[in-house]
C-alpha cells in the first residue's frame, strides 16, 4: 500500500541534525528530493526563528513553500512569504519571574529576594497557617 505524504514535520536537535547541529548529506539529499516531489517541510524546534533559519536556507525551503515552527510552537512562519501565521509568546513582564524561578527548577530553592533586581516585579508569596481543629488556610501577599 502506497502512502502519499504532503507534509513532513521534523524536530531538529538530535533528530534531523547530528551532534554538531548539522544535517547529514544523505538527509539533505533526501529532503530536497521530497520537496521537489511536492512534499512540504516544517522545521519544528524550541529554538528561536533565527536559530532555525540557516537550516531552512540549506533545505531551500523558500523555494519549496516550507514552514518554520519556532519557540516550541510559539511562532509559525510561512518561510516562502515570511508571513507570521501564528504567534503566542510570553509577555516581557513574565521574564523576570521566570529568571527568579529558574533556580527552583535546578536546585529546588527559589532565588532569594536579595538576588532579584530592583526592577523585578514583586513575586506573591504564599503563607500557610493552621488553625486548631480546622482546615488549612492559604493567604497570598501581593
Amino acid at each position: 500500500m502506497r502512502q502519499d505524504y504532503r507534509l513532513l514535520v521534523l524536530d531538529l536537535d538530535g533528530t534531523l541534525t547530528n551532534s554538531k547541529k548539522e544535517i547529514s548529506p544523505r538527509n539533505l539529499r533526501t529532503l530536497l528530493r521530497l520537496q521537489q516531489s511536492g512534499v512540504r517541510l516544517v522545521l519544528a524546534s524550541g529554538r528561536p526563528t533565527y536559530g532555525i533559519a540557516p537550516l531552512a536556507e540549506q533545505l531551500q525551503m523558500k523555494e519549496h513553500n516550507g514552514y518554520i515552527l519556532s519557540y516550541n510552537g510559539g511562532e509559525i512562519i510561512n518561510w516562502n512569504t515570511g508571513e507570521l501565521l501564528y504567534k503566542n509568546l510570553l509577555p516581557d513582564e513574565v521574564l523576570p519571574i521566570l529568571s527568579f524561578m529558574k533556580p527552583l527548577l535546578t536546585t529546588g530553592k527559589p532565588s532569594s529576594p536579595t538576588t532579584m533586581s530592583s526592577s523585578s516585579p514583586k513575586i506573591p508569596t504564599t503563607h500557610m497557617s493552621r488553625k486548631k481543629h480546622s482546615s488549612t488556610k492559604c493567604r497570598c501577599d501581593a
Side-chain angles (χ1 to χ4, degrees):
M1 180 173 166
R2 182 171 178 231
Q3 291 188 351
D4 293 319
Y5 294 99
R6 295 182 181 176
L7 185 73
L8 179 60
V9 181
L10 298 163
D11 177 52
L12 299 185
D13 300 319
T15 305
L16 175 61
T17 62
N18 59 24
S19 61
K20 296 178 184 177
K21 310 277 189 218
E22 300 168 337
I23 302 172
S24 72
R26 179 181 176 195
N27 284 344
L28 180 60
R29 284 190 309 272
T30 301
L31 293 172
L32 289 171
R33 194 171 45 244
L34 275 172
Q35 290 180 101
Q36 290 165 355
S37 73
V39 175
R40 289 191 180 187
L41 293 185
V42 178
L43 298 182
S45 179
R47 294 184 192 185
T49 304
Y50 66 82
I52 302 171
L55 297 172
E57 295 305 319
Q58 186 179 6
L59 289 165
Q60 302 172 14
M61 288 176 53
K62 279 189 182 186
E63 294 83 356
H64 298 287
N65 300 309
Y67 296 87
I68 287 181
L69 187 152
S70 54
Y71 298 104
N72 284 325
E75 283 187 357
I76 301 174
I77 300 167
N78 178 326
W79 200 241
N80 179 42
T81 64
E83 180 185 1
L84 182 62
L85 302 172
Y86 177 81
K87 183 175 184 173
N88 186 11
L89 302 178
L90 292 173
D92 289 339
E93 359 4 298
V94 173
L95 298 179
I97 296 169
L98 294 177
S99 176
F100 175 77
M101 295 306 293
K102 184 176 181 182
L104 179 64
L105 299 173
T106 56
T107 66
K109 297 178 183 177
S111 297
S112 69
T114 57
T115 61
M116 290 184 63
S117 71
S118 60
S119 63
S120 298
K122 186 175 179 185
I123 310 296
T125 56
T126 302
H127 301 284
M128 301 294 283
S129 63
R130 196 174 283 274
K131 284 185 170 181
K132 290 181 185 179
H133 310 293
S134 75
S135 62
T136 303
K137 286 182 126 182
C138 179
R139 178 176 54 89
C140 292
D141 297 328

